Amino acid sequence: MCSTHRANKDKCSGHYIRAVVLEQIVWKHIQEVISVVTRYEAYFCSEMEQKLRIQSEESLRLYQKRLAQAEKRIGELDRLFIRIYEDNVAGRLDDERFAMMSKNYTEEQKDLKAEVKNLQQQIHEQEQQAENIEQFVQRVKRNSTLTELTPYALRELVKAVYIDAPDKSSGKRRQKVHIEYDLVGYIPVDELLKAEQA
């Protein structure tokens, strides 16, 4: 059952997929990924690096811009806090207003520092993409002899599985399943196979 539907019924219609069907779809996709990676490792690595580089360049720009804004605001808050302290000491700002303003500035600064830490982590992760691809290839090689889907292989390879609401317009129930792999994200297996065979 859709977890978004359970949490917020207005945001998402209640849709589901049978566990057996989902397991078959995920297992088939993992087999295709293992096949592509083991047969065309160099090609897979270069294509995924290019895909991740394009994604990470845009993400990096956004993260770095937001990081600069947050760091600038933290500096502004430091200066504002000094100013309100001096105004309070000089008697231009009463104690009640000073307490309220200093509390607000402190809370905002605390939130910004947490955001800065998170953004720095995101930037670091984006910069580590090449290593991530190599680690993923090593994980695939460790699991290349699988004959069935095991919980260990699933945890090691797959980060998340997303299931769209069903499309019943053709008279049959069709659902798209998106598999996000750990370290590399979505792997367009069909595109990789077509490009390799071309």
Side-chain angles (χ1 to χ4, degrees):
M1 183 64 86
C2 175
S3 61
T4 306
H5 176 71
R6 271 189 245 141
N8 187 352
K9 294 186 184 336
D10 296 333
K11 193 173 185 180
C12 182
S13 64
H15 59 273
Y16 62 91
I17 189 168
R18 291 188 3 240
V20 175
V21 173
L22 180 60
E23 187 176 325
Q24 289 171 351
I25 292 169
V26 171
W27 174 231
K28 182 178 181 238
H29 201 271
I30 288 175
Q31 286 176 310
E32 291 172 348
V33 167
I34 290 172
S35 174
V36 167
V37 171
T38 54
R39 289 189 323 196
Y40 311 114
E41 181 180 337
Y43 175 73
F44 172 80
C45 290
S46 69
E47 287 295 311
M48 289 305 293
E49 282 176 14
Q50 183 179 359
K51 174 186 172 250
L52 293 174
R53 186 172 43 251
I54 291 168
Q55 289 175 347
S56 68
E57 284 174 359
E58 186 177 321
S59 298
L60 267 174
R61 275 196 303 274
L62 292 172
Y63 292 148
Q64 288 170 340
K65 181 180 178 183
R66 182 63 190 131
L67 179 63
Q69 290 171 343
E71 288 173 339
K72 180 180 176 186
R73 181 63 181 158
I74 288 171
E76 289 173 0
L77 288 171
D78 283 337
R79 287 188 295 281
L80 287 171
F81 190 77
I82 290 169
R83 182 183 287 161
I84 65 166
Y85 177 75
E86 290 172 350
D87 287 349
N88 180 255
V89 170
R92 292 186 297 261
L93 186 66
D94 63 62
D95 290 341
E96 184 180 318
R97 176 122 351 189
F98 170 76
M100 180 194 69
M101 291 174 78
S102 65
K103 179 184 175 201
N104 290 344
Y105 289 160
T106 304
E107 287 175 4
E108 184 180 355
Q109 199 166 40
K110 180 182 170 189
D111 292 343
L112 285 169
K113 285 180 179 178
E115 184 180 1
V116 163
K117 187 176 180 181
N118 182 40
L119 287 167
Q120 288 171 335
Q121 176 66 31
Q122 294 289 340
I123 289 169
H124 178 71
E125 287 175 10
Q126 293 293 325
E127 291 171 345
Q128 299 253 309
Q129 293 297 340
E131 287 180 29
N132 290 349
I133 293 170
E134 186 56 39
Q135 288 177 13
F136 181 76
V137 168
Q138 295 307 317
R139 289 182 185 185
V140 167
K141 286 179 178 178
R142 278 196 303 267
N143 292 288
S144 63
T145 59
L146 289 177
T147 56
E148 64 180 9
L149 185 61
T150 63
Y152 174 78
L154 189 63
R155 278 191 305 274
E156 188 170 44
L157 297 174
V158 177
K159 181 178 183 180
V161 177
Y162 300 100
I163 302 151
D164 291 349
D167 177 21
K168 300 175 186 173
S169 61
S170 65
K172 291 188 177 185
R173 180 185 175 91
R174 296 193 184 278
Q175 282 179 283
K176 289 188 179 181
V177 176
H178 308 278
I179 302 169
E180 184 178 355
Y181 288 88
D182 198 27
L183 302 172
V184 295
Y186 297 102
I187 300 175
V189 175
D190 296 337
E191 292 174 24
L192 290 172
L193 286 173
K194 285 178 189 173
E196 176 61 26
Q197 293 167 358

